Amino acid sequence: AMNDLRNFETAVKATLKVGKHAQGTMSYTVSPVHNMQYWLDMAKGLEDLGCHSVCIKDMAGLLNPYVCFDLVTRLKETVSVPIAMQSHATTGMSTTTNIKAAEAGIDNIDLAVSSMSGTYGHTATETMVASLEGTDRDTGLDIRLIEEIVSGEY
């Protein structure tokens, strides 16, 4: 039901009517029905509804890093709106999934500071900042300032 475009129509129209950002979210799962074409069609449908961005919601941590790379690459070819992603650390794949998403050109990933990350949360912000430092996807974030936030010393 969460991936049925009919369930997005009212919310997206209302969001657009008040001039706010409508983000269409695809609740990622794995099944014989949920193949690459399914996700590409859904993203295009969300864009056609007027969504300003599309988010891959990997709430169970099922998105394999290499499948993610292919998915983000293909989404960037299919829609013109920004692509965001959030991947829970439940299965332990979220960090590598986020790195592959960055390599594929994703526009935004959701993270959490280390004290709030892992297990059912997201990858630690510090991990991604350090992992991408010096690459073409460098975040530009100052890890020392993030550490201050985590420690409460700001």
Side-chain angles (χ1 to χ4, degrees):
M2 292 186 296
N3 286 330
D4 188 331
L5 289 175
R6 296 170 297 181
N7 294 331
F8 284 87
E9 291 174 6
T10 300
V12 171
K13 284 179 187 175
T15 303
L16 296 175
K17 185 177 179 179
V18 296
K20 300 299 179 185
H21 182 99
Q23 183 175 73
T25 302
M26 305 185 303
S27 296
Y28 185 82
T29 192
V30 177
S31 81
V33 173
H34 296 92
N35 59 27
M36 182 63 68
Q37 194 59 52
Y38 177 93
W39 299 118
L40 298 176
D41 291 344
M42 183 173 182
K44 187 64 179 154
L46 291 168
E47 181 180 49
D48 290 347
L49 283 175
C51 290
H52 297 102
S53 63
V54 171
C55 181
I56 304 162
K57 179 177 177 61
D58 181 24
M59 64 279 179
L62 298 175
L63 186 53
N64 171 293
Y66 294 95
V67 172
C68 177
F69 182 87
D70 191 32
L71 177 58
V72 171
T73 300
R74 302 275 306 277
L75 286 171
K76 298 293 277 180
E77 297 167 351
T78 302
V79 297
S80 60
V81 297
I83 306 297
M85 184 180 74
Q86 62 90 359
S87 183
H88 286 262
T90 316
T91 61
M93 291 194 292
S94 66
T95 300
T96 49
T97 297
N98 285 331
I99 289 171
K100 294 305 285 182
E103 290 175 357
I106 199 149
D107 298 289
N108 183 50
I109 56 174
D110 291 351
L111 302 168
V113 293
S114 58
S115 60
M116 303 294 281
S117 69
T119 317
Y120 303 108
H122 302 303
T123 296
T125 304
E126 302 93 318
T127 300
M128 289 306 298
V129 169
S131 295
L132 296 174
E133 186 176 22
T135 72
D136 62 339
R137 298 300 294 199
D138 192 316
T139 66
L141 297 174
D142 185 338
I143 201 158
R144 289 176 300 278
L145 296 176
I146 298 168
E147 290 169 351
E148 286 181 22
I149 292 168
V150 173
S151 69
E153 295 178 14
Y154 53 94

